[in-house]
Amino acid sequence: MKKIIPILILVSIATYSFAKSKKIIDAKTDAIFTQYCSSCHGEKIEAFVDRKWKYGTTKVDIVKTITNGAVDAGMPSWKNTLSSKQIDNLANQIVKSLANVDQYKFSSKPKTNIFKSGSMNLKLDTVATGFDSPWGITQLPDGQLLVTDRAGKLYKIDQNKQKTEIKNTPKALSKGQGGLLDVEIHPQYASNGWVYLSYSKYKEDAGATWTTTALVRGKIVGDEFIESKEIFEANPYTKTTHHYGSRIVFDDKGYLYLSVGERGKHFEYAQGTENDLGKIHRIFDDGRIPEDNPFFGKAPNSQTLYTYGNRNPQGLTQHPITKEIWEHEHGPRGGDEINIVKKGVNYGWPTISYGINYDGKPITNLSKKEGMEQPIHYYLPSIAPSGMAFVTGDKYPSWKGNLIIGSLRFNYLERVVLKENKVLENYKELLNIGRMRSVKMGQDGFIYIGVENPGMVFRLIPLSK
């Protein structure tokens, strides 16, 4: 394949990373917002401000709107309820929270494929191009990559960057957020050759198209996917074409974990344990169900269910030291979460959330509730996370042990510094390189990422100074 120089390296950006701003919420003002504003605007000011503003975003504009109201939008005047000082404090807080949103407005594009991160220089090396959306990436023991394209194709990329389509993969519905999604190989791939694919399965019934998340395994011989067998199918099917989840990860005990989104049905499935949607599932490598799953043998519960109350998990990985499974999931407007996967735990969606609905109205006024797990970290505003890996090995010394996550919304790599499962700092890396769909640590110790618009796969190479 002819080497193609990506368009993104021809345009300019500042190649630096910086820590996420600290939250700046005044307790008294926050209490006023909760008492008077949250029923219409949601619990968190930081989520509420991430919107299109009809009446202006300067402090003067905001004070005027709160004071006089906005009749056409159904907002009452607050001048007879709140003091001028309280209104002023609310306006100040909103302006500060708007600055938190503005930190993601990167002004320009990269003009070079060399990026700086602290003491490291990093080269973005183009591995393959010509994708719609490189949704999943995994590396074979011989160094070749397997890459899924959401458009419905699986590719093998050799060490000379030649891209070969693998035929006979399952037929996916490439519509909305659906298509051929994640790919992973068996931990003993060298001896058994098993490859796992998640995808949006569909069927036609009564004149309608119904879809779900499914998982197959098979083997690649030459350029064909053979011995394909379905080992998981989420039920029920829905008519929606989004929130499939679909990330795959193996732990070191022989279990396979698969995420399934709630299919955009906010209030119907995630809190129920009798269905497969809005869940993390755990099975054996051949689809058998572990008898120690939390609802095994408890009809009519979902037997493969391992956690529930999850919205749309598009990141799933194992911690290299603790061996715990970590996941991240999309919130609505605000409230993207990082969680540690725990057996039988309810992660709360949609009963609790730090986000609000896309129309600006609250989904829930609760962010905490007894019996529901809190995230170890949440994002306001939403970064739209996709792909997730822990940095291991010695190629990226200042990143070692960090969690890296792709941002679809803001087109960068989120780097999370952790200590004892707590987030210390967040850094933005590789600014504006594209909608980052997939993030993977290769067996060769390099980080691989996939971006959309245009669809490309890159390897991140550390350079000596």
Side-chain angles (χ1 to χ4, degrees):
M1 184 182 73
K2 202 173 177 182
K3 186 172 180 181
I4 301 175
I5 300 174
I7 296 171
L8 63 84
I9 68 172
L10 301 178
V11 286
S12 79
I13 190 173
T15 57
Y16 58 85
S17 61
F18 48 92
K20 185 177 180 180
S21 301
K22 303 294 182 184
K23 291 184 179 179
I24 39 176
I25 300 296
D26 172 73
K28 290 182 179 179
T29 304
D30 195 38
I32 292 170
F33 184 88
T34 299
Q35 181 177 354
Y36 296 107
C37 310
S38 63
S39 61
C40 290
H41 298 306
E43 184 188 29
K44 297 292 182 182
I45 296 177
E46 308 102 296
F48 157 66
V49 299
D50 185 21
R51 62 195 299 123
K52 292 182 178 179
W53 285 76
K54 186 175 181 179
Y55 305 105
T57 57
T58 68
K59 182 181 174 182
V60 172
D61 293 330
I62 294 166
V63 167
K64 181 180 178 182
T65 304
I66 297 172
T67 302
N68 299 325
V71 177
D72 60 332
M75 179 179 172
S77 165
W78 291 97
K79 62 185 175 184
N80 296 323
T81 305
L82 301 176
S83 69
S84 58
K85 179 64 174 176
Q86 289 173 322
I87 291 173
D88 191 75
N89 287 342
L90 273 172
N92 278 333
Q93 188 58 66
I94 290 170
V95 169
K96 289 177 182 179
S97 296
L98 280 165
N100 186 51
V101 177
D102 289 343
Q103 69 171 304
Y104 295 96
K105 293 180 180 178
F106 313 132
S107 60
S108 55
K109 298 277 186 181
K111 63 180 179 181
T112 174
N113 62 345
I114 307 298
F115 294 79
K116 184 173 177 59
S117 174
S119 61
M120 289 195 303
N121 285 330
L122 301 165
K123 178 183 177 182
L124 204 61
D125 178 43
T126 304
V127 174
T129 62
F131 300 95
D132 169 47
S133 171
W135 213 96
I137 301 172
T138 196
Q139 189 170 41
L140 302 177
D142 64 3
Q144 296 186 91
L145 296 180
L146 294 178
V147 180
T148 55
D149 191 342
R150 189 172 58 194
K153 295 181 179 180
L154 173 66
Y155 293 97
K156 181 184 285 187
I157 303 167
D158 67 22
Q159 291 170 316
N160 294 318
K161 303 183 179 180
Q162 297 295 313
K163 188 171 73 170
T164 301
E165 181 185 347
I166 305 301
K167 300 171 184 175
N168 301 327
T169 55
K171 189 175 180 181
L173 182 67
S174 299
K175 182 179 180 181
Q177 295 175 2
L180 189 58
L181 301 173
D182 210 8
V183 57
E184 189 53 272
I185 61 171
H186 194 283
Q188 282 79 52
Y189 172 86
S191 60
N192 63 34
W194 288 119
V195 175
Y196 295 76
L197 298 171
S198 65
Y199 71 107
S200 55
K201 185 179 179 182
Y202 68 99
K203 62 184 179 181
E204 304 292 336
D205 185 42
T209 301
W210 299 78
T211 66
T212 193
T213 302
L215 179 69
V216 300
R217 78 170 185 177
K219 297 180 180 181
I220 296 174
V221 176
D223 62 355
E224 292 196 32
F225 191 71
I226 66 170
E227 298 182 38
S228 179
K229 179 183 178 182
E230 182 179 285
I231 62 171
F232 177 86
E233 177 191 62
N235 283 295
Y237 281 64
T238 74
K239 293 181 182 179
T240 56
T241 57
H242 57 291
H243 292 196
Y244 290 96
S246 290
R247 288 296 177 191
I248 308 165
V249 68
F250 282 92
D251 68 7
D252 58 346
K253 296 180 180 179
Y255 298 111
L256 181 157
Y257 295 80
L258 174 71
S259 68
V260 176
E262 35 73 295
R263 305 305 317 287
K265 299 287 188 177
H266 292 341
F267 303 104
E268 295 181 37
Y269 297 119
Q271 282 298 306
T273 59
E274 75 290 346
N275 69 83
D276 299 327
L277 311 184
K279 315 287 191 291
I280 306 294
H281 296 268
R282 185 179 73 151
I283 58 177
F284 286 115
D285 62 353
D286 59 359
R288 290 176 298 117
I289 304 171
E291 293 185 7
D292 63 341
N293 273 4
F295 295 100
F296 183 84
K298 300 177 182 178
N301 295 95
S302 171
Q303 308 291 289
T304 56
L305 183 160
Y306 199 72
T307 74
Y308 62 110
N310 304 102
R311 187 172 182 267
N312 186 27
Q314 289 193 351
L316 207 57
T317 191
Q318 185 176 35
H319 193 289
I321 298 174
T322 68
K323 304 304 180 182
E324 296 168 311
I325 303 298
W326 287 50
E327 66 98 16
H328 68 57
E329 57 191 74
H330 292 262
R333 180 185 287 172
D336 300 338
E337 297 181 359
I338 300 175
N339 294 300
I340 298 174
V341 174
K342 300 176 183 178
K343 179 179 178 180
V345 166
N346 181 355
Y347 290 85
W349 175 257
T351 305
I352 61 174
S353 177
Y354 286 95
I356 59 177
N357 213 338
Y358 296 109
D359 62 6
K361 298 178 181 178
I363 291 172
T364 172
N365 285 325
L366 298 177
S367 59
K368 299 180 179 67
K369 187 175 182 180
E370 186 176 354
M372 295 182 177
E373 188 78 357
Q374 282 291 296
I376 67 167
H377 188 70
Y378 63 89
Y379 289 92
L380 294 174
S382 289
I383 65 169
S386 185
M388 183 183 195
F390 283 97
V391 180
T392 57
D394 299 319
K395 293 188 185 298
Y396 313 92
S398 62
W399 288 16
K400 190 171 182 179
N402 292 179
L403 189 64
I404 51 175
I405 298 167
S407 170
L408 292 167
R409 181 181 179 189
F410 295 120
N411 303 343
Y412 75 99
L413 180 70
E414 170 86 355
R415 180 167 64 89
V416 183
V417 180
L418 300 159
K419 184 177 182 181
E420 297 176 351
N421 292 345
K422 294 184 179 179
V423 173
L424 297 183
E425 292 180 296
N426 303 68
Y427 290 88
K428 302 172 183 64
E429 311 284 359
L430 313 181
L431 304 185
N432 255 354
I433 71 165
R435 281 172 53 85
M436 198 173 296
R437 173 59 69 181
S438 47
V439 177
K440 191 78 171 184
M441 282 299 308
Q443 296 189 35
D444 58 6
F446 288 105
I447 295 169
Y448 291 86
I449 59 175
V451 303
E452 302 173 343
N453 302 327
M456 299 181 179
V457 174
F458 300 105
R459 175 173 53 186
L460 199 56
I461 301 176
L463 301 176
S464 57
K465 289 190 175 181

